[in-house]
Amino acid sequence: MNLAAHEATQFDPAAADQMEKIISDLGRMYQERNEALQEVARAHHEALFRLAMAAEYKDDDTGVHIVRIGFLAEALAKHLGQSREYALLLRKAAPMHDIGKIGIPDSVLKKPGAFTPDERLVMNRHPAIGADILGKSRIALFQIAAEIALTHHERWDGQGYPNRLAGMAIPLSGRIVTIVDYYDALTMDRVYRPAFSHEKALTMLQAESGKAFDPAIVDCFVRNHAALCAVRERVTGRHMTFADLVQIEQETP
């Protein structure tokens, strides 16, 4: 082997150090890129959550209802055997289910009496508005939030809106959120009635099994009602907020 060939096959510490530095720099750049993307996603999420709160304030001036829905949806998903990852997505996405109400005129949304047929058509647009607001992102969280917004007023018997989906054609996310929304709304004070008791709310929920709601999910809710009620009470008692919803490490309270 001539000298040039021999030197070409020798280990070059300087070149190795340079390669190690390049790899380290690439790793740091990749981490910084991911952190930046996560921060953008968080900012997007918080902005949308604030919009959801703006819509919710028309009915509940504390905003706690939508936070409870997030934690209740997560807990119910876990009781149904869904993965921790899926349940966590629901926890963060479910509070945005009614974000489309931001696009409904107050003359309709805050009307004290029954809607006219035309007003009902206007009101029934809010799921599609919400899905349009949320569905423009490719981030998984906002995709499932759009799915929930669009389908949480569908009914098991096919008599819901906006697309009259029935049974298993309704995504699981929508079937879960519609139940926890119904239960939580029943057990809170509204301007037109006082809160129903937990027992009365369960009776009313069971009465809609197989009609408005998926019977299997209603059965799961009823079997685990004590644990779910405890989640609701702890969220309320601790005054939990958006910051609690997005803490990945935090388990259901």
Side-chain angles (χ1 to χ4, degrees), residues 11 48 50 138 221:
F11 175 74
L48 292 171
R50 299 300 175 192
R138 290 177 292 177
F221 191 104

Side-chain angles (χ1 to χ4, degrees), residues 78-93:
K78 287 180 177 178
H79 286 303
L80 287 165
Q82 296 299 307
S83 69
R84 182 180 181 275
E85 292 72 23
Y86 179 81
L88 180 62
L89 273 179
L90 278 192
R91 183 175 93 198
K92 295 190 287 185

Side-chain angles (χ1 to χ4, degrees), residues 20-21 38 40 69 71 77 81 85 97 102 173 181-182 202 205 207 223 229 232 245 250:
E20 185 175 335
K21 185 176 186 303
Q38 289 171 6
V40 168
I69 286 175
F71 283 107
E85 292 72 23
H97 66 291
I102 205 75
S173 62
D181 184 29
Y182 180 79
L202 281 181
L205 179 63
R223 285 196 309 272
C229 184
R232 184 185 186 281
L245 280 168
Q250 180 178 301

Side-chain angles (χ1 to χ4, degrees), residues 151-224:
T151 63
H152 74 284
H153 281 296
E154 301 289 358
R155 290 172 52 101
W156 185 257
D157 60 11
Q159 298 303 304
Y161 65 91
N163 296 314
R164 299 180 72 85
L165 300 179
M168 300 296 284
I170 305 168
L172 177 62
S173 62
R175 285 181 277 135
I176 290 174
V177 172
T178 190
I179 287 174
V180 299
D181 184 29
Y182 180 79
Y183 164 77
D184 193 71
L186 288 177
T187 51
M188 62 186 286
D189 289 326
R190 309 307 287 257
V191 294
Y192 48 86
R193 61 150 176 84
F196 291 107
S197 69
H198 172 68
E199 293 73 21
K200 177 64 174 176
L202 281 181
T203 299
M204 295 170 73
L205 179 63
Q206 288 174 291
E208 291 296 326
S209 180
K211 300 174 187 175
F213 307 130
D214 180 338
I217 300 180
V218 171
D219 289 346
C220 180
F221 191 104
V222 173
R223 285 196 309 272
N224 296 283

Side-chain angles (χ1 to χ4, degrees), residues 26-41:
L26 287 172
R28 187 180 67 255
M29 290 169 61
Y30 181 76
Q31 180 178 354
E32 289 173 353
R33 169 187 173 275
N34 283 348
E35 289 173 354
L37 288 173
Q38 289 171 6
E39 188 58 34
V40 168

